[in-house]
Amino acid sequence: ASPLLIASLACLQERYDGTLRRWLAPFGMARINTRVVRRSAGELDAYVNVDASRFRYREEQLSPAGGRAAAKMAKNAAIPPEKLRALVEAGRLPKPGGGPSAEKRAASAFTALALARAADGSAAACGLSGGDPGYDETAKMVAEAALCLVAEERAELPAAARGGSGVLTPAAALGGVLERRLG
C-alpha cells in the first residue's frame, strides 16, 4: 500500500495522543480538507521549501470523553457520501440551505491547534479560533479570497509571480496575500 493510502486509512481511526494526553478522532471534513492541503503541498513543492514526497498531514478532533467516544466519532466521520445523502433525504440531516439559525451560529465557535514537526525533529505549534466555522468563517474566507483576486495587485499574488495559472488551491494561488487579509 502507498504511504498516502496508509495515512488516509489511519485518519479514519481513533487514537490516543501521548503529547496531548487526549483521545483524538477523525475530523468530519478531513476527507475533503486533507486532499486540498496535500495538493497545496504538491503545488508549492517547486516554489518553496516543501518536499511534497515527505509531507504528511491529517486532521483530527479532540474527543470530549475518552476512547469510547473517540471510536464513535471515528465511525461517524467515516460515513460514506451515499449514506450521508440518504440521511439527508430521510430528514435525519439538514438539506442544503437548511443550516443552523443566525442565533445558533452566533453562539458557535471553534479553536484549532496546528502541530508541525520538521524532518530535523524541530517542532512548532500555533492556534486559531473564530466564530461558526461551517458558515460564518467559511464565508469570510471565500470573500477575502475573491477580494484578493480583484483588489490586490496581480504581481503580488504568488501564482502570478511564479507565472502559474490553471486550477490552483488558495494556498498556492494567493499565499501570504490571503493570509494577511485574513490576519
Side-chain angles (χ1 to χ4, degrees):
S2 74
L4 184 59
L5 177 60
I6 292 169
S8 296
L9 292 175
C11 288
L12 296 176
Q13 299 173 351
E14 75 280 1
R15 70 181 185 91
Y16 184 79
D17 185 283
T19 302
L20 296 174
R21 294 185 297 209
R22 297 282 300 269
W23 279 92
L24 303 174
F27 178 60
M29 293 296 296
R31 273 189 271 184
I32 296 167
N33 296 346
T34 54
R35 287 174 170 87
V36 174
V37 171
R38 288 184 183 128
R39 168 130 185 213
S40 294
E43 291 172 354
L44 294 169
D45 184 28
Y47 306 107
V48 295
N49 191 20
V50 174
D51 181 353
S53 68
R54 299 181 65 196
F55 182 83
R56 302 288 179 265
Y57 177 83
R58 68 175 168 230
E59 286 187 19
E60 297 167 305
Q61 57 189 344
L62 296 174
S63 170
R68 201 175 258 175
K72 184 171 183 167
M73 292 164 68
K75 183 178 176 185
N76 289 341
I79 295 174
E82 57 275 1
K83 174 84 172 173
L84 288 173
R85 281 190 286 279
L87 291 170
V88 168
E89 292 305 317
R92 296 185 58 201
L93 288 176
K95 292 183 187 270
S101 67
E103 294 79 22
K104 185 165 185 164
R105 289 193 323 269
S108 297
F110 78 96
T111 300
L113 173 65
L115 305 171
R117 189 168 296 111
D120 67 4
S122 61
C126 69
L128 170 71
S129 60
D132 176 72
Y135 293 86
D136 298 346
E137 296 298 326
T138 299
K140 288 176 193 173
M141 291 178 212
V142 169
E144 290 297 344
L147 287 171
C148 279
L149 296 173
V150 298
E152 299 291 338
E153 289 295 322
R154 178 165 164 60
E156 290 184 35
L157 299 178
R162 295 187 306 264
S165 61
V167 180
L168 303 172
T169 64
L174 309 172
V177 175
L178 178 58
E179 183 181 352
R180 282 191 302 280
R181 291 191 71 90
L182 293 172

